[in-house]
Each structure stands twice: as structure tokens, then as C-alpha cells.
Amino acid sequence: MRSIWNGAISFGLVSIPVKLMNATENHSISFRQIHAADGGRIRYRKVCELEEKEVPNDEIGKGYETEDGSVIPITDEDLAKLPLPTAKTIEIVAFVPGTEVDPLQIDAAYYLSANGGPAVKPYTVLREALKRSQKVALAKFALRGRERLGMLRVVEDVIAMHGLLWPDEIRSPDEVAPDGDVTVREAELDLADALMNTLGEVDMDSLHDHYREAVEEMIAAKAQGAELPAAPEGEGGGGQVIDLMAALESSVRAAKNAQGGDAGTDTGTHAEVTPIKGRKKTAASKTAAKKTGAAKTAAGKKAAKKTAAKKTASKAATKTAASKKATSGAAKKTAASKTAAKKTTKASPKKRASA
């Protein structure tokens, strides 16, 4: 990567020489302006309004236009004389939790590389300190003729710096918030939660620009003189949502179907839909209600069968126990009768002898 700035990180009394490199790149396809009639290039020329002739780049300077329309020339020497301590220094001013930085402030991203062997040790110390503290460093630095605010954080084994907008550069959202009081139902929030859980997470590396791919394919087809593919037909967007509950229900079903139905990830969320008075039930809602009623009826019949079976088993058990008890009593009486008979048989000879 090409370095766009050389300087040092000021960390208390420690100075860490670093190089600054762009951490991002733009993959957008750019187009040239042409004359539609003959395909000729349309170019912009820098023309002096007083002399009405084109001016080369080495004769072009800077100027500040005042309210009355006059221009005050500003040279690079004028800017170099400004008392700007951050001209070649990334000056760390504080360490704060990353959650304190408003994402609206985040601008361009850069990588900071240790510049030379002596810078490796202090660079590593700062990197590891940021890791252990789980904080980010707020810093000031100057780039392209102006002082900026930056945030230093660790990305893998590299210190990255995000340019930040100054707080007064963030517009207030007061005029953007919707007007009027809106009542949100618990059932609507439950369905929204279910939809969020069903959609789940995504691997950020799997996301890419489909529009750019389509533009590249179209350019390749035109270069080869091939016929361009027809645009896919789709429903127009931007329609007004009339029934929020029905839309949420349909979204949850569509998300589950996209993940393979109920076999997908179990979100652990079961939303019960509370019907809104005055609204017509959708066909899907009626179908769901029929399925629910049928399920309840089947469950009731099954439960009734189980209850009847239990009662039958209980009666049979009671009869069996009574039968066993009766059999046992009869057995005891029979044994007693046999014993008495034996005693009678033994006593009879003695009586005859005495007679």
C-alpha cells in the first residue's frame, strides 16, 4: 500500500513514527461524459475569467471568496506558518469506550504502520494497551490542509484510524423524526422480534455489490455486440402498508420459508398475534385459525381417548384386585376346612376304643 502521510503518534512523552495508508478502496464503476451524437469526449477546461483562456495547473492557486465577492489569495506558505501542532503529529487527547463515539461521526478509514525499526516497540505497546483496555484513542491530526479528529482502534494486529467529523458538523435529527403520537401494540413488537430472530445474522464477507456485477456484464455484452438481457419483472416498491400486522406475519413466513421452513434455526421466540378490531382477516390468517382449531380438536379427542383408557384400566385393576381378594379368602376357607377334617379323623379311633 502507498503511504499518503508520514508523521508520528504522540502518546504522552512517547513519539511513534508512523505511515498513513488508505484502508478502503472504491470499486464503483465510473463513466465518462460524451457527446451523445458522435461519442466524442466532453472535457472540462480551467479557464481564467479575466483572460478567457485556459490556465495550466502550475499557475493555479487558492483563494477565499468573501461575502462581497472579492477573493483573498491564500498561499501554501501562509498555511505552513499557521501554529498547527498536529501538522505532522497524531496527537492522542483521550482514551474512551468505543460506544461513546457516535457512528454518524465516522468518516474515512486508514491503517497506521510503524515507520522504521525503532518504532516497532512503542507501536506494539500502544496496540496491546488498546486491546487490553478495550478502549479507543481520540486524537487530532492534520491532513490535506485542515485539522481533523480521529479515532484509533486495533484491527487484528494493526492500529487503524478513522477520521471523525467534528461534533458541530453533525446535523440535528429533530426535524427528521416522524410527527404525531403512534400507539405500538405488544403483538406488533412480538412479530417484529420474531422477524428479527428469523432473519438472524449474516456473514459480512458474503455481502457484495450485485449492481456493479450487472453493470460489468452489461458493458461486456455491449463490447461484444451481444443482445442485452431483459430486465426482470418485479413489483414496484414504495406502496403504503395498510395492515401492519398482516405485513409482519407475511414477512415472518417468508423468512422462515427462505431458511427451509421450521427446520431452520430455532429462534426461541413464539409470537401470539392479537387480532386488531375492525380489520378483515387475511386468507392466511383464516387458514392459520382453521389449522389451530383442527389441532385443538385433534388434541382434545386424543386427550379424551387417553382419559377413557385410564378409567377403563382403573376399573379393570379394581376388579382384578377384588377377584384376587375373593380367591385368597376362598383358599383360606378351604385350607381351614381341610385342617378341621384331619383333626376329626384323628379323634374318632380314640372315641371308639373307650366305648
Side-chain angles (χ1 to χ4, degrees):
M1 283 185 257
R2 185 175 62 87
S3 172
I4 61 173
W5 182 91
N6 290 340
I9 299 175
S10 176
F11 178 34
L13 298 178
V14 179
S15 181
I16 310 171
V18 292
K19 294 179 181 179
L20 189 71
M21 289 153 285
N22 285 317
T24 61
E25 55 188 4
N26 189 354
H27 290 166
S28 299
I29 297 175
S30 59
F31 298 99
R32 302 290 188 185
Q33 288 189 328
I34 62 172
H35 187 195
D38 55 18
R41 283 281 305 276
I42 303 297
R43 298 181 182 273
Y44 291 95
R45 290 182 171 86
K46 298 177 181 179
V47 177
C48 175
E49 292 181 350
L50 298 178
E51 298 180 354
E52 294 185 355
K53 68 176 184 179
E54 189 174 354
V55 179
N57 287 332
D58 58 357
E59 294 182 12
I60 298 177
K62 301 181 182 72
Y64 178 81
E65 185 175 359
T66 60
E67 294 181 358
D68 60 2
S70 60
V71 178
I72 302 174
I74 303 294
T75 65
D76 292 339
E77 289 75 15
D78 295 332
L79 295 174
K81 293 177 182 178
L82 292 176
L84 190 62
T86 57
K88 283 292 182 181
T89 305
I90 300 172
E91 182 182 354
I92 294 178
V93 296
F95 292 89
V96 299
T99 54
E100 291 190 11
V101 178
D102 191 337
L104 284 173
Q105 290 183 254
I106 297 177
D107 199 2
Y110 307 95
Y111 287 139
L112 292 171
S113 172
N115 191 3
V120 173
K121 181 63 178 290
Y123 181 97
T124 305
V125 170
L126 176 58
R127 183 191 67 196
E128 296 304 314
L130 287 170
K131 280 184 181 179
R132 189 169 69 172
S133 67
Q134 296 183 347
K135 292 183 178 181
V136 298
L138 294 182
K140 291 181 179 181
F141 67 104
L143 184 66
R144 299 187 179 97
R146 60 179 291 239
E147 187 173 54
R148 303 166 186 256
L149 189 63
M151 177 185 73
L152 277 64
R153 69 183 184 96
V154 178
V155 177
E156 296 183 3
D157 290 331
V158 176
I159 298 176
M161 181 172 68
H162 296 272
L164 300 179
L165 300 174
W166 296 98
D168 59 1
E169 293 179 318
I170 305 297
R171 293 178 175 176
S172 172
D174 293 341
E175 298 179 359
V176 184
D179 297 329
D181 295 331
V182 178
T183 301
V184 179
R185 301 172 182 269
E186 287 295 326
E188 294 168 341
L189 291 178
D190 290 342
L191 275 173
D193 289 341
L195 177 58
M196 293 167 62
N197 292 332
T198 303
L199 292 176
E201 300 179 355
V202 66
D203 181 7
M204 295 296 291
D205 293 334
S206 66
L207 303 177
H208 59 280
D209 189 350
H210 292 284
Y211 180 79
R212 178 170 61 88
E213 291 179 354
V215 172
E216 290 175 345
E217 291 175 1
M218 178 265 293
I219 293 173
K222 294 199 73 170
Q224 297 173 3
E227 183 178 352
L228 299 180
E233 295 182 0
E235 297 181 357
Q240 183 180 3
V241 178
I242 298 175
D243 192 336
L244 179 60
M245 292 293 290
L248 286 171
E249 291 169 5
S250 300
S251 300
V252 171
R253 285 194 298 272
K256 286 184 176 179
N257 291 336
Q259 293 183 355
D262 296 335
T265 304
D266 186 7
T267 61
T269 301
H270 303 282
E272 295 183 359
V273 180
T274 303
I276 299 177
K277 294 181 179 180
R279 77 177 180 96
K280 295 181 179 180
K281 291 185 178 180
T282 60
S285 301
K286 291 180 180 179
T287 303
K290 288 180 181 180
K291 288 183 178 179
T292 303
K296 287 183 178 179
T297 303
K301 290 181 179 180
K302 192 174 182 180
K305 287 181 180 180
K306 286 184 177 180
T307 304
K310 287 182 179 179
K311 288 182 179 180
T312 303
S314 177
K315 289 180 180 179
T318 303
K319 289 181 179 180
T320 303
S323 177
K324 287 182 178 180
K325 189 173 181 180
T327 303
S328 177
K332 287 180 180 180
K333 286 181 180 181
T334 303
S337 299
K338 288 182 178 181
T339 303
K342 287 181 180 180
K343 287 182 179 180
T344 304
T345 304
K346 289 180 180 180
S348 297
K350 291 181 179 181
K351 288 181 179 180
R352 288 175 184 174
S354 61

